[in-house]
Amino acid sequence: MKKNRQKRLSLGVIGFITAFGLAAFVADKRLLVIWGIGIALGFVLYRSGICFASAFRDVFLFRDFSMTRMVIILTGVSFVGIGIIQAIAASRGLPVTGRIYPVGFHTAVGGVLFGFGMVLAGGCASGTLQRIGEGFILFLTVLLGIAAGSVLGVYHFSWWVNSFFSTDAVFIPDFIGWIPGLVLTPVLLGGLYLVTVAIEKRKR
Amino acid sequence: MKNGRTFIKRVVLDYWPYWVGGVLLGILNTLLACFDKPWGITGNIAQWGLAVCRAAGGQPETWFYVWDEPLKLNFAELLFSRGTVINLGVIMGVMLAAVLAAEFRVKKVKSARQLALGIAGGLLMGYGARLALGCNIGGLVNGIASQSLHGWVFGLFLILGAWAGSMFMKYLVSKNGN
C-alpha cells in the first residue's frame, strides 16, 4: 500500500519535472540546462544532508564543525571553477564575472540579521527550499517570510547605502594583483579548515 | 549487473558524505557560472515579493536596488526566469531524491512557537540578504569564490548573528523546554 503511494508520487514528480522542463525549453533553450542543474543541486543537497544553517549554529551549540568544513570545501571548489572562468574572461579582455557586489555597513547589518534569522527558522535560504521539497509545511511560511522581508529590504536599501559607509564592489585582485589574490583565498580557506580540525581535536 | 544495482542503490538510498556533497555542489555551481552567474537564491525570491507588491498597486520598480538579474515584475516572465527555474529545480530535485528513496512525508507545523520563529526568521533572512546582496550561497560562498570582499565581510558578521541566534535559542529552550 505504502509502496504504491510512493511509486505514484515518484511518477507525479517525474511527470512535473518533464512537463516544466519542456515548457522552460520552449521559453528559452538555455533554461532547460539551468532546470537540469537546479534539479541536480536539489538531489545533492538532500542525499548529502547538507544544511548551511547548521554549519554555523552547530559550532556554537555542539562544537561540531563537520558541516562548516563542507561549506569550506564547496567554497574552495567553486573558487577554482569560477577563477578559471574569470581568468578566461580577463585574458579575452571581457569583464570579470561572478558575484562581485558593493560592500559597506549594510553588508555587516545584513550578515548579522541573516545569521540570526537562519538559526531562528532552522534553515537558511537553500535549507528552506530543501525542506519544502521534503514536505515541511512550516518552511512554506518561512519562504513567505523571506519574500516579505526582501521587499522591505529592497525598499530600505537606498537608505542604508546613503546613510552609512558603502563602497563600490571590491574585487580583491584589483587591489593586490591576480597572483596574490589566487594565493590569498586558498590560504585563508585552508587556514579556516585547519582551525576547525584543531578546535575539534582539543575538545576530545 | 549486481554491481550496477548496488551502485544505483548507494546513489539513491544511502546518505553521501558531506565532502562528496560539497564537491558536487561546487562543480554544479561552476556549471551555473558558465551560464552567466554562479548560484544564488534570494534575489529571485525578492523579485517574487516585489511582483506581488506591484500587483497590489505598489511601484517597486522605482526603488533603487542593485539586481543580480534583470528585474521582472510580471508573473509569467518571472516564472520562466533563470532564478525561478533554479529555485523550483532545487525544490523538485529534493522531492525527487526523497520520493525515490520513499522518504517523502508531508510534515505539519508542530507548534505556534515554531511557526512564529519560522516567520520571524524568514523576515530577518529576507531583509538581511537584500541589505548584504546575497545569502549563504550567493553572498558567502560565491562572494568569496568570486574574490569579492563583500563575501568575507558578510561571512564574518553572519557568524556573529548565528552566535547570537544560538544563544537566543538556548535561552528559549532553557525557559520553555523543547
Side-chain angles (χ1 to χ4, degrees):
Chain A
M1 258 323 260
K2 236 182 182 170
K3 251 200 166 155
N4 267 330
R5 205 175 143 254
Q6 291 284 345
K7 232 180 200 165
R8 273 209 308 274
L9 271 174
S10 304
L11 287 177
V13 170
I14 292 167
F16 180 85
I17 288 175
T18 314
F20 190 87
L22 281 174
F25 182 75
V26 171
D28 175 359
K29 277 181 209 153
R30 286 156 47 108
L31 282 182
L32 183 62
V33 182
I34 303 278
W35 180 235
I37 298 175
I39 288 164
L41 285 169
F43 201 96
V44 174
L45 279 175
Y46 182 75
R47 281 271 61 106
S48 38
I50 283 170
C51 170
F52 288 80
S54 76
F56 295 93
R57 178 197 57 202
D58 294 357
V59 168
F60 298 116
L61 292 186
F62 314 113
R63 301 220 172 262
D64 178 353
F65 287 83
S66 46
M67 198 63 78
T68 319
R69 283 195 286 274
M70 187 287 299
V71 175
I72 297 172
I73 291 171
L74 162 60
T75 310
V77 173
S78 304
F79 167 76
V80 172
I82 294 170
I84 292 171
I85 295 170
Q86 286 177 332
I88 292 172
S91 70
R92 289 183 182 165
L94 298 168
V96 169
T97 53
R99 291 194 173 266
I100 303 162
Y101 294 128
V103 55
F105 186 62
H106 54 93
T107 317
V109 176
V112 171
L113 294 180
F114 192 90
F116 195 84
M118 76 180 180
V119 176
L120 288 201
C124 73
S126 71
T128 299
L129 299 180
Q130 194 178 331
R131 306 237 161 70
I132 290 172
E134 289 171 33
F136 282 92
I137 304 292
L138 172 73
F139 280 87
L140 284 171
T141 63
V142 177
L143 183 66
L144 288 179
I146 296 178
S150 299
V151 171
L152 218 75
V154 174
Y155 184 61
H156 286 170
F157 184 74
S158 59
W159 181 81
W160 284 98
V161 169
N162 293 326
S163 310
F164 304 97
F165 171 77
S166 175
T167 175
D168 284 344
V170 174
F171 181 55
I172 295 169
D174 281 348
F175 290 81
I176 61 171
W178 271 95
I179 304 291
L182 288 180
V183 175
L184 181 68
T185 307
V187 165
L188 286 174
L189 288 176
L192 284 174
Y193 192 99
L194 292 179
V195 167
T196 65
V197 174
I199 295 177
E200 271 188 352
K201 257 202 186 136
R202 236 186 37 197
K203 183 181 77 176
R204 287 194 206 102
Chain B
M1 183 64 204
K2 207 177 163 232
N3 274 334
R5 266 264 154 101
T6 44
F7 178 73
I8 290 174
K9 245 186 157 174
R10 284 195 62 180
V11 168
V12 174
L13 296 177
D14 286 356
Y15 280 93
W16 309 346
Y18 294 156
W19 70 266
V20 171
V23 170
L24 289 176
L25 288 183
I27 293 170
L28 291 167
N29 187 22
T30 304
L31 278 179
L32 270 183
C34 293
F35 290 83
D36 297 338
K37 274 204 183 292
W39 191 13
I41 296 173
T42 45
N44 172 259
I45 300 174
Q47 294 203 6
W48 278 97
L50 292 187
V52 171
C53 175
R54 198 185 69 159
Q59 289 180 308
E61 65 273 15
T62 62
W63 304 347
F64 166 74
Y65 196 69
V66 183
W67 289 107
D68 55 352
E69 56 180 303
L71 178 61
K72 290 180 177 160
L73 295 176
N74 166 302
F75 288 119
E77 256 185 13
L78 193 50
L79 181 62
F80 289 106
S81 70
R82 178 193 148 89
T84 307
V85 168
I86 298 174
N87 283 346
L88 191 59
V90 169
I91 294 177
M92 293 315 295
V94 169
M95 211 179 266
L96 180 69
V99 292
L100 285 181
E103 289 166 351
F104 181 85
R105 309 267 182 285
V106 173
K107 293 145 190 122
K108 291 183 189 139
V109 180
K110 275 194 222 141
S111 65
R113 190 183 83 173
Q114 198 191 34
L115 185 68
L117 285 174
I119 293 172
L123 285 169
L124 288 170
M125 278 194 282
Y127 193 82
R130 280 316 88 206
L131 288 196
L133 297 152
C135 60
N136 276 341
I137 288 168
L140 177 74
V141 171
N142 280 326
I144 291 175
S146 310
Q147 299 197 62
S148 172
L149 183 63
H150 89 291
W152 289 104
V153 175
F154 180 67
L156 191 68
F157 286 92
L158 180 80
I159 293 171
L160 209 71
W163 171 79
S166 303
M167 294 305 117
F168 179 71
M169 292 302 282
K170 247 187 183 170
Y171 168 78
L172 271 190
V173 170
S174 71
K175 224 181 150 200
N176 306 317
N178 269 308

